Amino acid sequence: MKKDIPELNSLLGGIEDPEILAGISKTAPVLPDGSDSDSAGGDGSLSWNSFMNHLDRPTSPAYKESRHVCKLDKELSDTLDELNIKGKSRSDLVNAIVRTFFDEHLDRMSAYRQERKSLFKKKEVLT
């Protein structure tokens, strides 16, 4: 009895495909109700949609000038530099990613919020 064993090349076909390595599906899976997963959520598509909305948000030159410097790990920086999403800069991508994370987890993060330690507050209490 001969078992149907796929050709080795067909098994390894997508191994060098960057989208497969990144876990990105080339086509959105169809759900049992006939809708695609990009519109239904549940697979991170809501996060992706939120990210894209933040990325599309208009930013004024004054807003961009008020940005602070933040150092990224080299591998993150290199990965972001390889992307071309709507012609947005690395800073635009990072801001959209962080805003998306905050949208989803700000309530959890509030438990870790601390008051700023300032000499001004101490002086006000003393007087």
Side-chain angles (χ1 to χ4, degrees):
M1 173 181 266
K2 181 181 173 188
K3 293 187 178 189
D4 292 329
I5 300 173
E7 291 290 322
L8 183 58
N9 287 342
S10 67
L11 292 173
L12 300 175
I15 217 161
E16 293 296 324
D17 186 337
E19 289 182 341
I20 290 174
L21 292 173
I24 300 168
S25 172
K26 290 182 181 180
T27 58
V30 176
L31 300 176
D33 66 0
S35 65
D36 65 79
S37 62
D38 284 342
S39 62
D43 67 342
S45 62
L46 290 177
S47 296
W48 181 258
N49 292 339
S50 178
F51 165 73
M52 294 303 281
N53 287 336
H54 284 298
L55 203 55
D56 285 337
R57 199 173 105 187
T59 54
S60 66
Y63 171 82
K64 287 190 174 192
E65 288 175 13
S66 69
R67 289 181 172 174
H68 291 252
V69 175
C70 181
K71 294 187 177 192
L72 295 174
D73 293 344
K74 183 171 178 14
E75 68 180 327
L76 294 174
S77 176
D78 290 347
T79 301
L80 290 169
D81 287 344
E82 289 180 27
L83 299 175
N84 182 5
I85 302 175
K86 299 184 177 189
K88 298 293 185 170
S89 68
R90 181 192 317 155
S91 294
D92 292 335
L93 295 173
V94 169
N95 279 302
I97 291 165
V98 173
R99 287 183 184 280
T100 301
F101 184 85
F102 279 11
D103 284 348
E104 295 183 15
H105 302 290
L106 194 60
D107 56 332
R108 292 179 183 170
M109 294 170 62
S110 66
Y112 299 96
R113 189 174 180 193
Q114 60 184 358
E115 286 190 38
R116 291 185 176 206
K117 295 180 174 118
S118 169
L119 293 176
F120 290 113
K121 287 184 181 181
K122 289 181 183 178
K123 186 163 183 117
E124 290 172 6
V125 172
L126 294 175
T127 57

